[in-house]
Amino acid sequence: MNGDSMDRDLEHSASVAAVPASQFTAGVLPNPLIDDIKSLQPKTGVLIPLKTTQEVRQDHTIVPAFITRVPAKAAAEVLGALRLTRPGGSANPLPHLRGCAKPADLPAHLKTKFMNETPEGRLVHFAKSMWLYIMCCEASDTTEEELAATLSTVSLLEGLDIWISTVPVPLVAPTSQIQAAMWSSQFWPTVYRKNNPLGPHPSIVARGTDEIKDDSIMWMTLAQRVADDAKGKGLGEAIGAVVVQRDEHGAQLVAVAGDARWHQDPLLGDVGNPMAHCVLRVISMVAQKLVRHERQAADLTLDLPTLEFDAFHDGPILDAEKQCFLQEHPNKDGYLCHGLELYMTHEPCVACSMAILHARMGKVVFCNHMPRTGGLSSDDRPDGGGRGLGLFWRRELNWSLLAWELEQDANFDLVTLDPTTHV
């Protein structure tokens, strides 16, 4: 996938998450599969946003950076010369640090150091003439000799000694105003831009939570019903998935699926058939609804093959699956699962988590965290099992979504699976 398409996909995922919550206040649309659940006594649940891998493992890496000291009147020309040395003429490579700082704005220990190094330093800090300190770049980006050569091209510095020093700075932006103030006193004047450099913007997470908090328990109740049915009929483990579309008309059921790893006994030992996990089945059912509509619109029939053994088991098997599958897709012009919501009884495994990303899902909510096998959580696996992948939000992937763990006092009891089970 090229860079342009990756950027477009990331923009799509961000725009889906950023839809104002006021557009999603129409409630849940009627459906015979959930009407009785809506009439149950409301239960409470707490949606806990998942943390990204960067949030979980942020170690506040400190790196050396070059700074210089110039007369204020030369600052603009110096900044221009530095910009020309960067790829594509990019701006400040450390945007969370102030590019220019007055001597009085430096941390106390730097002021003391620079004042006492040389007579010129004392003049800079006490004289009435205006000087500025400029953040140049990480020390790993260039050498002191190359930086000095760049600064020597600035006409307003002609005849002046080129001053360069190295200071330690935080590599990653602060995540709060308090942290920015602390870093300003410890390292260099730091800016908090009211965002989260390590994951989704706090306002996006808050809006997403507001959109789904009132009915997430209801959808999870349906997922558990399907899970119990799949387990009771011997199709698979007690795992269920529900896909929902939410727009200005309300929240509407799109697809349901239970686990079917034991269906037709694929003789795969203790793991069953991984291609029949409920996530893969429910994504396929969403896609089949879209294909069905396209073929009907073109006056074509949808003929499904009759197989002695179907490895994917992506046709409806349970009664709830059949009933939902017969209903039309609410967005007939949709693309894959773009912007849809997935509710799961358990955290999906790595393979299913990647399928969720490839399907362009918008939000995922699960109840039972699977610390050994789950693919969405970033928490380190127990007993030296390695690090969680946090696949819901990784900058090297071309799609990201919002994800929550639902702690609930609901209308059902979740089945606890063996911790080595892949969901």
Side-chain angles (χ1 to χ4, degrees), residues 129-242:
S129 58
M130 294 294 295
W131 287 73
L132 291 175
Y133 285 91
I134 294 179
M135 175 61 60
C136 300
C137 61
E138 287 183 56
S140 60
D141 291 343
T142 186
T143 65
E144 187 171 340
E145 291 74 18
E146 291 172 338
L147 179 58
T150 297
L151 295 174
S152 65
T153 64
V154 176
S155 60
L156 291 176
L157 298 183
E158 188 175 351
L160 298 177
D161 291 334
I162 302 298
W163 182 91
I164 297 174
S165 186
T166 304
V167 296
V169 296
L171 180 62
V172 181
T175 57
S176 69
Q177 187 64 55
I178 294 175
Q179 192 175 63
M182 181 176 66
W183 286 358
S184 294
S185 64
Q186 293 177 333
F187 301 105
W188 184 266
T190 305
V191 180
Y192 173 57
R193 302 190 183 280
K194 297 183 180 180
N195 64 357
N196 180 5
L198 310 176
H201 196 286
S203 64
I204 293 177
V205 176
R207 286 199 297 269
T209 303
D210 287 342
E211 290 165 9
I212 66 175
K213 65 181 181 180
D214 292 334
D215 52 52
S216 57
I217 287 289
M218 184 196 68
W219 301 118
M220 200 63 74
T221 302
L222 177 59
Q224 185 60 46
R225 284 186 176 182
V226 176
D228 292 339
D229 198 13
K231 179 70 173 179
K233 288 183 169 57
L235 293 181
E237 297 295 330
I239 308 166
V242 170

Side-chain angles (χ1 to χ4, degrees), residues 119-130:
E120 292 79 6
R122 286 190 289 276
L123 288 175
V124 166
H125 282 265
F126 288 110
K128 292 183 179 180
S129 58
M130 294 294 295

Side-chain angles (χ1 to χ4, degrees), residues 5 22 39 43 59 93 99 110 119 140 160 168 195-196 202 208 216 237 239 280 335 352 374 379 394:
S5 61
S22 59
S39 66
K43 299 291 183 178
D59 56 4
L110 290 183
S140 60
L160 298 177
N195 64 357
N196 180 5
S216 57
E237 297 295 330
I239 308 166
L280 302 183
Y335 169 72
C352 288
D379 297 335
R394 293 186 69 108

